[in-house]
Amino acid sequence: MSEPDETTNAASALPPIPNGRTGKPAPPRAPVMPEWAADAEPHHARDPAKAPVSPVTGQPTLVWDYTSTTTFLKLVVIAVVLGALAGSVLQALNIPSSGPTYGWLAAGTGTVMGLIQVRPRKLAAGARWLTLGKRNVRVYELTKVDIKPSILGPTLHLTDKSGAAIAVQLRDAQTTPGVWDYVYLGVFHSVANGADVTDRANNTLSLRGPGGTVRPGYDREPS
């Protein structure tokens, strides 16, 4: 897959594409949603030895963190509530083969399994890619940008030219130190080069202005 060309990229009005190896020039500070702006932290140095393995040869991991504990705790509450409801239903049905003890045991097992699946995962970025768990996309080669609602809040869905796709809680992406700066600039360049943007993504991230033109600059806050 070809790499984007910093000198001929159609999104020339935007800040330049960082070098894939060094991450320089560093992207400007990207705006975040007002409701969780206080949770966004500036990037701080981490031990390179603990960096997740880069999915792109020659483009090292530059910034990373675990998905937010806020998201995880919400999922814990949801899993516990659903487990309790499941146990109550099984008990109310009074089925001999699934009496109270077995009902609560099944509900508890389901809750634990659910929590294992939703545990915090490493969210990482290089200058030109984003990864969450085992999924990754090239942020300068996106073909579609979407925002979808979920029980935890808006979810950012990105798809690149190779067909690779990733879905990450927008709050996690925007409040993870340094990651959002690289991703946001990549999204902007991809949109300038023709990536499909849904109305919800455009309204949330303010990617296009009147007439569908790309809105360069970082002086607008997401709506």
Side-chain angles (χ1 to χ4, degrees):
M1 184 178 296
S2 62
E3 294 294 338
D5 185 341
E6 293 100 327
T7 61
T8 62
N9 196 290
S12 58
L14 293 171
I17 298 175
N19 180 277
R21 183 177 59 81
T22 65
K24 305 296 184 181
R29 183 73 173 164
V32 301
M33 301 291 286
E35 57 264 41
W36 53 67
D39 297 333
E41 302 176 17
H43 170 62
H44 51 278
R46 296 181 180 277
D47 183 359
K50 296 181 180 180
V53 176
S54 169
V56 183
T57 303
Q59 296 186 22
T61 301
L62 299 176
V63 287
W64 70 93
D65 203 348
Y66 283 97
T67 50
S68 76
T69 53
T70 300
T71 297
F72 178 63
L73 290 175
K74 286 181 180 179
L75 290 169
V76 169
V77 172
I78 291 170
V80 171
V81 170
L82 291 178
L85 288 174
S88 298
V89 169
L90 290 173
Q91 184 175 353
L93 291 175
N94 197 27
I95 300 174
S97 60
S98 14
T101 300
Y102 293 105
W104 284 106
L105 180 60
T109 301
T111 300
V112 171
M113 293 293 290
L115 293 177
I116 291 174
Q117 293 299 314
V118 302
R119 67 191 184 280
R121 293 172 292 171
K122 278 187 177 178
L123 180 64
R128 302 180 179 183
W129 54 264
L130 172 69
T131 183
L132 176 62
K134 296 181 179 180
R135 294 181 176 273
N136 66 84
V137 293
R138 308 288 185 98
V139 296
Y140 288 89
E141 301 176 18
L142 300 175
T143 56
K144 185 172 183 179
V145 180
D146 192 10
I147 295 283
K148 295 182 179 180
S150 75
I151 194 171
L152 297 173
T155 304
L156 177 65
H157 292 254
L158 303 174
T159 305
D160 68 19
K161 289 180 180 179
S162 72
I166 197 170
V168 58
Q169 291 299 312
L170 186 59
R171 180 190 182 106
D172 287 344
Q174 290 194 344
T175 59
T176 301
V179 169
W180 184 236
D181 298 340
Y182 283 108
V183 173
Y184 187 72
L185 182 57
V187 167
F188 250 122
H189 275 270
S190 291
V191 172
N193 287 324
D196 178 40
V197 183
T198 63
D199 289 341
R200 184 178 287 112
N202 183 54
N203 293 337
T204 302
L205 300 177
S206 300
L207 297 171
R208 292 189 182 277
T213 57
V214 176
R215 299 166 58 168
Y218 285 72
D219 56 344
R220 297 172 309 281
E221 292 186 356
S223 58

